[in-house]
Amino acid sequence: MAFLLDFVSLLVLLSSACGEEPDPAQENVSPVINMKLDPRKKMLIWNNRRNVTWQECKIDTHPSCPTSPIPQVKDNNTYFCVFPNCVLHRGALLTINVTADGDVFQRELAFRNSGKEGSRAVNFSCLIYNIRFMNCSWMPGPAAPADVQYRLYAWTSTYEDDEVECPHYLVGSTGTHVGCHFDELAEPKSTDNYFFFVNGTSQETAIQFLDFTPFKATEMEKYNPPANLTISYNGSHHIIRWDNPEIRFDISSYILCYELDFQIKGSSSKRDPVFQRGSDKNVYLIPGSAARAENTFRVRVKYAYKDLWSDWSVTLHFAGHPEPDFRGPPAALVGLVVGAAALLITVLMFLCTRFSLRQKLLPPIPQVKREVTGAFVFLPEVSWDGCHPPLGSQEPEDILTVEETRSSASGQAEIRSAPHGSENVPPEGRALAV
């Protein structure tokens, strides 16, 4: 009986010793388990097999994308980190650091894109057009096998489960998918980002996948050409106006950029384009002397920070004889006024002819009358013989002569006059004739 009691005591001592000293191997093992990467969602997932007081996750890719997002937890105690701005198809190194029981642990996962090098799709691009449609295109990789078949997956949110496969594939000449058409996009949001993932299959070898940084939806849209393009004339300038295009997202017109193209029809010379920001009014003025009938104008638009231009608008021609940009008098009224003016002039001319108004309004310059001019008789020119006129000439005129004589009695001078030619005038009197 004493032996049995001793044996029980020994077992109790052994069990106590085991409880007080835990297995040193358990203390040195990281609590992180089930670490894996979902390359489509760019999501790293793991579990912790015991409580941790601190943890972080990191990723290192080529090209460089060092990111340390804050770990989050799902309902089933699964932790995850998302790296939406990183590209994984070139490979990545992912790291999780945790602290448990005062010790720091680190787990790493080296990820590589399995498959034949050069087999993934290349030259991928997507654009939104006509408000609600989207087209994507790509080409087979340079080392892709002949029977390769690609598939495209797209979604707009990192966390929501809205991933869809391409509804309408575009097929190349060999039967390979080389594009996709989305005919009904979801309701637009200015904060939308599009995520794309292209993988492939082949009977010959594994095909590498292709992923991207998020596509900002507002920068993917190819706008429609500007609408309601008009050219008018105000008497001095041609006035060009247009409307903003209808776009998918509710964004400010300030981020629009217009290119105005003026050309001379049939000319090989090309004028430099004119660029105008959407912050300005959609109006452009050209002096009337700078535009001719053979000149043309067109316009296109784009998002200011991208090079995705719309198609050109319709081409307009400048009028050869531009008319003012306001409503003038009717042509019938102009004709009536001209006709009335012509009739008035005709009537005035008739009255002038009928009543000699011309002579009254414009009297002739007065001239010497015929009776007066007839009284002046021009005598023939004759020559005298010495101091005697020729025979038969006109009688000489009487000339008054003045003669001064002195009276002996009074001593005063007397003045006598006698007609010239008188028989009684002495020769000395004729000598004093004035």
Side-chain angles (χ1 to χ4, degrees):
M1 187 64 180
F3 175 78
L4 182 59
L5 292 173
D6 293 338
F7 180 75
V8 173
S9 300
L10 179 60
L11 291 176
V12 173
L13 292 173
L14 290 174
S15 61
S16 300
C18 291
E20 291 176 0
E21 297 182 7
D23 185 2
Q26 292 290 335
E27 294 181 350
N28 297 328
V29 174
S30 172
V32 178
I33 59 175
N34 302 329
M35 185 178 177
K36 59 183 179 180
L37 177 67
D38 180 355
R40 288 191 186 181
K41 293 291 189 179
K42 303 181 181 181
M43 182 181 295
L44 177 63
I45 303 172
W46 75 93
N47 297 106
N48 294 325
R49 56 186 171 186
R50 65 177 186 268
N51 292 333
V52 299
T53 56
W54 172 82
Q55 57 185 344
E56 70 171 1
C57 54
K58 295 181 179 180
I59 187 172
D60 189 11
T61 63
H62 179 77
S64 179
C65 180
T67 306
S68 301
I70 299 175
Q72 302 181 56
V73 62
K74 296 183 179 181
D75 294 337
N76 57 357
N77 290 326
T78 299
Y79 295 90
F80 68 94
C81 285
V82 181
F83 310 95
N85 298 319
C86 296
V87 175
L88 302 178
H89 65 259
R90 298 186 181 92
L93 177 64
L94 299 107
T95 304
I96 297 177
N97 296 317
V98 300
T99 298
D101 300 326
D103 295 325
V104 178
F105 298 91
Q106 183 179 84
R107 284 289 302 273
E108 291 184 344
L109 174 64
F111 175 81
R112 62 180 300 269
N113 190 359
S114 61
K116 184 179 180 181
E117 188 68 28
S119 62
R120 64 176 178 264
V122 295
N123 297 339
F124 183 89
S125 64
C126 284
L127 63 86
I128 298 171
Y129 67 99
N130 285 350
I131 311 301
R132 67 181 188 275
F133 302 133
M134 182 168 66
N135 276 356
C136 298
S137 63
W138 60 86
M139 295 178 61
D147 67 338
V148 66
Q149 193 58 280
Y150 297 104
R151 296 189 179 277
L152 172 65
Y153 301 88
W155 61 97
T156 59
S157 174
T158 304
Y159 305 111
E160 297 179 5
D161 189 15
D162 61 347
E163 178 184 301
V164 295
E165 184 179 355
C166 170
H168 304 288
Y169 282 106
L170 306 178
V171 181
S173 58
T174 61
T176 302
H177 297 163
V178 293
C180 176
H181 172 69
F182 295 86
D183 53 3
E184 283 295 338
L185 298 178
E187 288 297 321
K189 299 177 182 178
S190 59
T191 57
D192 281 350
N193 287 327
Y194 281 92
F195 298 84
F196 298 101
F197 184 86
V198 182
N199 61 10
T201 57
S202 172
Q203 296 294 329
E204 297 182 14
T205 183
I207 305 299
Q208 294 181 326
F209 70 84
L210 178 65
D211 66 339
F212 316 90
T213 57
F215 283 60
K216 191 173 182 179
T218 54
E219 299 178 3
M220 294 175 59
E221 185 174 7
K222 179 181 179 180
Y223 302 135
N224 292 329
N228 297 330
L229 186 64
T230 60
I231 300 179
S232 59
Y233 189 70
N234 66 357
S236 61
H237 288 78
H238 294 275
I239 306 174
I240 303 173
R241 294 185 175 92
W242 64 91
D243 291 342
N244 291 330
E246 184 181 1
I247 58 181
R248 175 176 173 81
F249 302 97
D250 184 17
I251 56 179
S252 172
S253 61
Y254 280 50
I255 56 87
L256 300 178
C257 178
Y258 294 94
E259 180 181 355
L260 315 180
D261 181 57
F262 303 91
Q263 298 301 327
I264 301 177
K265 186 178 180 181
S267 175
S268 58
S269 61
K270 184 175 178 63
R271 293 183 56 179
D272 294 333
V274 177
F275 296 96
Q276 183 164 311
R277 295 297 299 268
S279 55
D280 301 326
K281 292 183 178 180
N282 294 347
V283 177
Y284 192 80
L285 301 180
I286 298 180
S289 60
R292 299 292 183 268
E294 62 271 15
N295 291 10
T296 62
F297 169 77
R298 59 181 183 172
V299 61
R300 62 179 181 173
V301 63
K302 71 164 186 171
Y303 186 81
Y305 306 105
K306 291 292 181 179
D307 290 328
L308 186 60
W309 286 100
S310 72
D311 294 330
W312 286 105
S313 68
V314 296
T315 300
L316 296 185
H317 295 262
F318 290 88
H321 299 283
E323 297 187 5
D325 189 23
F326 54 82
R327 299 181 64 87
L333 180 59
V334 174
L336 182 62
V337 172
V338 173
L343 180 61
L344 179 61
I345 293 174
T346 303
V347 171
L348 290 176
M349 292 179 63
F350 174 77
L351 293 176
C352 289
T353 305
R354 180 69 178 81
F355 298 102
S356 302
L357 293 179
R358 177 183 176 186
Q359 294 182 3
K360 294 182 178 181
L361 295 176
L362 301 173
I365 299 174
Q367 298 181 2
V368 181
K369 292 184 178 180
R370 183 178 303 273
E371 293 79 0
V372 177
T373 57
F376 294 97
V377 178
F378 295 93
L379 299 176
E381 183 177 344
V382 295
S383 59
W384 284 34
D385 183 11
C387 295
H388 302 281
L391 295 177
S393 61
Q394 186 178 0
E395 293 293 332
E397 295 182 6
D398 292 336
I399 299 175
L400 181 65
T401 60
V402 178
E403 182 178 356
E404 180 181 0
T405 60
R406 291 185 177 271
S407 173
S408 57
S410 62
Q412 297 180 347
E414 292 184 5
I415 299 177
R416 293 181 302 171
S417 63
H420 179 72
S422 172
E423 296 291 337
N424 300 321
V425 177
E428 52 268 37
R430 286 194 293 268
L432 296 175
V434 178

